[in-house]
Amino acid sequence: MNARYAGDRTTGFASPASDSVEGPIDLSQTLDLANPSRYPVRVRGATFAARGILDGDILIADTAGSPQAGQLVIAWASGRVLLAELQKRGNAWWLVSGDNTHPPLEVDPARDVEIWANVASVVREKA
Amino acid sequence: MLYGLIDCNSFYCSCQRAFDPDLKHRPVVVLSNNDGCAIARTAEAKQLGIKMGEAWHLVRNERKLSDVRWFSSNYPLYADMSRRVYQVLLDYSPRVEPYSIDEMFLDLSGFSDSLHAHCGAMRQAVQQITKVPTCVGWGPTKTIAKLANGLAKDRPELEGLCDLTDPQMRQRFYRNVSVGEVWGVGRRLLPKLHDAGIRTIEQFVEAKPAQIRKIMAITGLRLQAELQGESCLQIAEMAEARKGMACTRSFGRPITTYDEMHEAITGFATRAAEKLRAEDLDAAHIAVFIQTNRHKRDDGWYANQFSISCEPTNDTFTICRHASRLLKQIWLKGYRYAKAGVMLNDLAPHGQQSTLFSMASTKPAHENLLAAMDGINQKFGSGTLFPLSAGIKRDWKPRQAMLSARYTTRLKEIMEVNCY
């Protein structure tokens, strides 16, 4: 296999497409991976299966921007790295479990609970 | 003109902390190549009395240091985090000069009215996006910006920001600060300046140019002008073309046999040639050196180097062949070698220097082989494909026993998140 043939340089009949070669789609652009605020992270656990996030999936975390209610976020809580849904109650932000197996956890840097990044995209590798 | 300097606090440690919540409140130390000595420390580690350059094997078991987390240096991680810091800064300054992996000069001209707010926002953005804390200093020249940065770092009450644009402010500061704090005034220069009665920055600035010139030539005059707010040094957005390319390492354990040394040298030559091709350069001069441990002379001490000029090339196999020949010239049996390296010099753009009488111009097939090798190593990691003569076991490789994951450059090593 010669990886350099891209639909252009044919040997017999000249390819009518030789000026129109665009190459395969680059998903790292779609996922904006060169952006300094984007960090891929690996999912462990399945409490967010109902939202289509499975064990082993790759999330593209984005550390820019501000918190939004309903967003999935990656948070640091007393030494643990958690994936949770962000909710606002009154003036406070809360981390909510994906299947209600854990009680909501208030975001409060003073108590060592803080948001690390938003979740921007989900990627599943081929099985 | 207005220049800024932003400096990342304990950069290597901050990179480790960015991905590990366990490190948040703990003292963190990053060790040099071969897990030798401390090269980056968090404030908590400094408070415990760990000094820069402190040897890890001497203090690792001290009880008061039991809470310290030690790391081998993880350069793939630090390089990528430095890239991220740089890119965030481009949103805040049209021109950014990466001066070192953890400090960058900024062109801040045009933000004069609201510099404090601008630099504060920049610092906040770097912290949020890269998780790396920084300090920023600024002033009318690079030398003043560097001084301001040092102040921002040393004085907590400034909250990480220091403005030295005001000449009166500078004057007060210059009167009380040692000339040794100035960028480029090293330990070697300081005694000479002291002999001439120059101790403070103020004294340096007010000294007669002829006197300064005698002590530190034209550099001194430039420094004098810079300190007075007259800009002589511009922002260089990229490093100048390389003059040489080297690959050198300290070994994890002493090398005593020729075969192992030959493997090591071949490995270094392979890596150096790969770096040449990455920048599309040829080398026309190759040097090899080997040395024993300078600090353990009881076992006998030996260091030597040998070099040759050759036809410009970036071919791994040619460079390895030359390096082997050079090694044979300097190899002496019976010593315990601690360090070795291959240096490539006389660099020029690839293909440019080939002469009419050139004997063995690289064959295209050979170039394809090298390109394929580089492609595979880029995709699957440096050292995936290498000449067999570079050895397979290589257990003399530098120790990196406390290496963290490469969180941002290897998919298999990214941070894990647990579903809540």
Side-chain angles (χ1 to χ4, degrees):
Chain A
M1 185 192 82
N2 190 335
R4 280 177 304 175
Y5 176 70
D8 48 353
R9 290 159 64 184
T10 42
T11 61
F13 290 102
S15 168
S18 61
D19 288 333
S20 312
V21 172
E22 297 190 336
I25 290 166
D26 182 359
L27 279 183
S28 72
Q29 268 180 29
T30 313
L31 299 170
D32 200 12
L33 291 183
N35 191 314
S37 65
R38 298 254 162 158
Y39 300 84
V41 299
R42 182 80 61 180
V43 175
R44 291 292 169 231
T47 62
F48 283 93
R51 287 185 70 155
I53 294 175
L54 305 181
D55 185 57
D57 281 355
I58 298 164
L59 302 178
I60 310 302
D62 195 319
T63 52
S66 46
Q68 307 274 328
Q71 262 276 10
L72 290 184
V73 295
I74 291 154
W76 281 12
S78 320
R80 291 174 301 162
V81 184
L82 302 177
L83 172 66
E85 185 183 316
L86 196 63
Q87 287 297 348
K88 192 160 197 181
R89 297 192 189 155
N91 276 328
W93 292 101
W94 291 78
L95 301 176
V96 178
S97 159
D99 61 357
N100 291 317
T101 44
H102 299 90
L105 199 57
E106 189 179 350
V107 176
D108 180 2
R111 272 186 279 172
D112 223 4
V113 181
E114 59 190 326
I115 299 169
W116 191 84
N118 297 318
V119 174
S121 315
V122 191
V123 177
R124 187 159 306 140
E125 289 172 284
K126 65 182 174 193
Chain B
M1 282 302 285
L2 206 63
Y3 294 95
L5 181 68
I6 186 164
D7 179 273
C8 301
N9 305 348
S10 320
F11 179 60
Y12 298 169
C13 298
S14 299
C15 293
Q16 299 296 154
R17 271 188 174 163
F19 303 95
D20 187 346
D22 221 27
L23 304 179
K24 206 171 158 201
H25 306 289
R26 293 178 68 171
V28 177
V29 178
V30 172
L31 301 169
S32 60
N33 271 330
N34 221 2
D35 294 342
C37 46
I39 53 170
R41 305 155 298 153
T42 59
E44 298 83 354
K46 289 176 194 171
Q47 267 165 23
L48 286 171
I50 299 171
K51 300 272 180 299
M52 203 65 173
E54 185 115 48
W56 171 67
H57 72 276
L58 295 180
V59 298
R60 56 187 293 195
N61 290 325
E62 278 184 31
R63 181 166 303 165
K64 67 164 184 170
L65 302 185
S66 60
D67 203 32
V68 176
R69 288 288 308 273
W70 308 87
F71 286 94
S72 307
S73 32
N74 189 339
Y75 288 112
L77 175 65
Y78 310 150
D80 186 58
M81 294 303 279
S82 181
R83 187 267 307 175
R84 288 173 193 264
V85 170
Y86 173 85
Q87 285 186 337
V88 175
L89 295 177
L90 282 177
D91 282 343
Y92 291 84
S93 164
R95 293 190 303 151
V96 180
E97 173 185 345
Y99 179 67
S100 69
I101 196 167
D102 62 353
E103 51 185 338
M104 312 207 177
F105 282 107
L106 311 160
D107 177 358
L108 293 174
S109 316
F111 298 105
S112 325
D113 295 341
S114 51
L115 266 173
H116 208 273
H118 185 75
C119 291
M122 171 171 74
R123 189 167 171 261
Q124 160 62 29
V126 172
Q127 165 89 55
Q128 183 184 339
I129 291 172
T130 69
K131 314 295 177 189
V132 173
T134 59
C135 290
V136 193
W138 62 95
T141 69
K142 281 171 110 175
T143 306
I144 292 171
K146 178 99 175 149
L147 266 176
N149 181 272
L151 273 184
K153 209 171 359 177
D154 292 343
R155 304 196 181 173
E157 71 274 16
L158 294 176
E159 296 181 324
L161 299 173
C162 179
D163 177 357
L164 280 184
T165 45
D166 176 21
Q168 280 174 346
M169 227 351 217
R170 285 206 298 274
Q171 217 164 26
R172 273 204 304 277
F173 170 64
Y174 285 0
R175 195 164 300 153
N176 300 312
V177 174
S178 157
V179 67
E181 300 288 309
V182 175
W183 186 29
V185 178
R187 253 175 289 163
R188 221 173 285 171
L189 220 47
L190 211 50
K192 288 187 197 166
L193 288 167
H194 285 177
D195 287 347
I198 299 170
R199 294 186 168 272
T200 65
I201 302 181
E202 184 180 51
Q203 288 165 338
F204 180 84
V205 169
E206 285 172 358
K208 292 214 171 64
Q211 189 185 15
I212 295 298
R213 192 174 192 138
K214 220 158 62 187
I215 300 170
M216 48 191 300
I218 190 78
T219 330
L221 300 184
R222 210 168 52 192
L223 216 52
Q224 251 188 332
E226 280 254 316
L227 284 166
Q228 289 173 85
E230 197 185 309
S231 176
C232 306
L233 303 167
Q234 272 76 51
I235 295 264
E237 284 169 80
M238 268 296 205
E240 283 170 33
R242 282 171 179 282
K243 293 198 186 73
M245 190 92 59
C247 183
T248 71
R249 292 276 185 285
S250 296
F251 303 124
R253 61 160 172 80
I255 280 189
T256 53
T257 69
Y258 178 82
D259 286 347
E260 273 188 336
M261 183 61 92
H262 185 253
E263 283 179 10
I265 290 293
T266 304
F268 301 156
T270 303
R271 178 68 190 129
E274 189 178 271
K275 288 202 272 186
L276 271 184
R277 291 194 297 278
E279 299 197 19
D280 207 25
L281 295 168
D282 281 338
H285 186 266
I286 301 174
V288 168
F289 79 88
I290 53 176
Q291 64 184 51
T292 57
N293 190 336
R294 266 180 303 156
H295 307 294
K296 282 188 193 159
R297 299 202 177 196
D298 317 345
D299 296 341
W301 185 73
Y302 174 73
N304 204 350
Q305 91 155 24
F306 202 56
S307 64
I308 50 156
S309 293
C310 61
E311 234 173 79
T313 180
N314 65 15
D315 172 17
T316 295
F317 300 96
T318 308
I319 290 171
C320 285
R321 214 164 42 237
H322 286 306
S324 298
R325 287 225 314 267
L326 292 168
L327 173 63
K328 268 195 199 114
Q329 300 286 332
I330 55 176
W331 173 259
L332 271 186
K333 222 166 71 178
Y335 288 102
R336 297 161 64 79
Y337 293 97
K339 192 176 177 182
V342 171
M343 275 110 58
L344 306 177
N345 286 301
D346 287 356
L347 307 188
H350 176 55
Q352 198 187 60
Q353 283 181 341
S354 62
T355 60
L356 186 61
F357 303 106
S358 156
M359 303 260 291
S361 57
T362 349
K363 296 182 193 85
H366 206 72
E367 297 233 343
N368 284 347
L369 169 63
L370 293 171
M373 214 163 97
D374 290 343
I376 288 171
N377 284 333
Q378 226 163 54
K379 191 164 173 192
F380 298 103
S382 183
T384 303
L385 207 60
F386 55 88
L388 189 58
S389 48
I392 290 172
K393 203 163 128 212
R394 285 185 277 187
D395 59 1
W396 41 263
K397 277 203 299 197
R399 274 185 298 265
Q400 290 185 306
M402 293 154 287
L403 206 52
S404 76
R406 290 165 290 184
Y407 297 102
T408 64
T409 56
R410 287 305 162 109
L411 197 55
K412 285 209 166 74
E413 301 179 22
I414 58 181
M415 187 170 85
E416 293 195 346
V417 300
N418 297 295
C419 291
Y420 187 58

